[in-house]
Amino acid sequence: MNSAKGFFITIEGPEGAGKSTQLQMLRDFIESHGRECIVTREPGGTPVAEQLRALIKHHNGNEPIYDQTELLLIEAARAQHVRHFIAPALERGAVVLCDRFYDSTTAYQGYARRMDLEMLHQLNSFAVGGYHPDLTILLDIDPEKGFNRTAGRTETLGEHDRFELEDLSFHKVVREGFLKIAAAEPERVKIVSAADAPEKVHSKIRELLLNAF
Ligand code: TMP
């Protein structure tokens, strides 16, 4: 937990879990309680970090992006995002909602790309400099169902990014990785099934928040 006045919530989950929809609904709910609430995302969230996001997500001609490069770009984007955007917001008392954060690094780079979990833990701590999430909502979904939902996504105008192009077994390991993180940190990470209708998922998230604030 961070020591700032604000409240830091991250939303995690496999592709197509409906994170964006839930973030918007959650922001409306929090603002209706009179709190400043900002929505941001990783990788990205600042102009510099968004430039890194483009490098991380998309192929660059014939030059592959190596796993080590990918990891360091993600951590560089995080270091920038936390210092330039998240920390100032938390210090002034805002609620920060972040679409993905360091649990995605553990799930994707750690479990799915098989990089050393202890090394990732240290890099994550270095990048965030003490600004850890107060609450993490894990929107859990079977990757097969998630894939069907992302098929029509418009961010990349129909072109799938490097992660979406990984096969189903990769995304199954990602999901299992998230579930292991939740099992290891049950106080912080709360699992919500993303299989239900958006309104139902939202009401479950609201219950969690009422307990947390
Ligand atoms: P998304 O925001 O559209 O979900 O795309 C971000 C992609 O980046 C997603 O496929 C997961 C991946 N990612 C990682 O591999 N590690 C990370 O630490 C983060 C934040 C994202």
Side-chain angles (χ1 to χ4, degrees):
M1 187 173 291
N2 68 79
S3 58
K5 286 180 289 175
F7 199 77
F8 186 16
I9 302 171
T10 58
I11 301 209
E12 301 275 9
E15 318 285 324
K19 296 191 302 310
S20 308
T21 308
Q22 292 304 324
L23 279 169
Q24 302 309 329
M25 292 168 101
L26 194 51
R27 172 167 60 187
D28 292 347
F29 172 69
I30 291 167
E31 284 180 345
S32 75
H33 281 70
R35 294 281 302 256
E36 180 194 357
C37 180
I38 57 168
V39 174
T40 188
R41 69 176 180 183
E42 287 218 340
T46 78
V48 168
E50 288 288 328
Q51 284 187 301
L52 295 172
R53 176 187 177 90
L55 284 174
I56 293 160
K57 285 192 59 155
H58 299 291
H59 286 280
N60 190 3
N62 289 328
E63 181 179 349
I65 295 178
Y66 301 94
D67 290 354
Q68 294 80 357
T69 314
E70 175 184 281
L71 171 65
L72 293 172
L73 287 171
I74 287 168
E75 296 294 1
R78 178 163 301 134
Q80 187 72 13
H81 185 209
V82 168
R83 281 157 192 78
H84 194 67
F85 193 73
I86 293 177
L90 291 173
E91 293 298 342
R92 69 173 182 265
V95 179
V96 175
L97 302 183
C98 192
D99 184 344
R100 300 194 181 279
F101 200 60
Y102 57 29
D103 297 311
S104 279
T105 312
T106 307
Y108 283 81
Q109 283 65 49
Y111 286 103
R113 299 245 196 263
R114 300 167 183 263
M115 301 187 86
D116 182 71
L117 293 178
E118 181 50 36
M119 183 264 295
L120 295 185
H121 181 70
Q122 290 190 15
L123 268 180
N124 283 333
S125 296
F126 177 69
V128 305
Y131 289 91
H132 295 273
D134 297 297
L135 171 68
T136 297
I137 296 157
L138 171 55
L139 284 184
D140 181 48
I141 190 160
D142 180 334
E144 259 169 294
K145 287 191 187 133
F147 269 152
N148 292 338
R149 287 189 186 169
T150 57
R153 207 152 73 159
T154 52
E155 184 186 354
T156 55
L157 296 173
E159 182 197 325
H160 289 295
D161 69 37
R162 293 174 49 252
F163 299 96
E164 289 163 342
L165 288 171
E166 293 286 351
D167 62 18
L168 190 58
S169 62
F170 176 92
H171 290 283
K172 285 188 171 162
V173 179
V174 168
R175 181 200 195 182
E176 283 159 20
F178 278 128
L179 292 172
K180 284 180 191 161
I181 296 166
E185 288 187 70
E187 284 300 308
R188 174 177 69 87
V189 185
K190 307 293 182 191
I191 303 171
V192 174
S193 169
D196 295 321
E199 277 300 342
K200 196 168 172 194
V201 175
H202 175 61
S203 72
K204 285 188 192 159
I205 292 176
R206 269 162 61 157
E207 277 171 36
L208 288 175
L209 265 188
L210 292 175
N211 294 334
F213 267 125

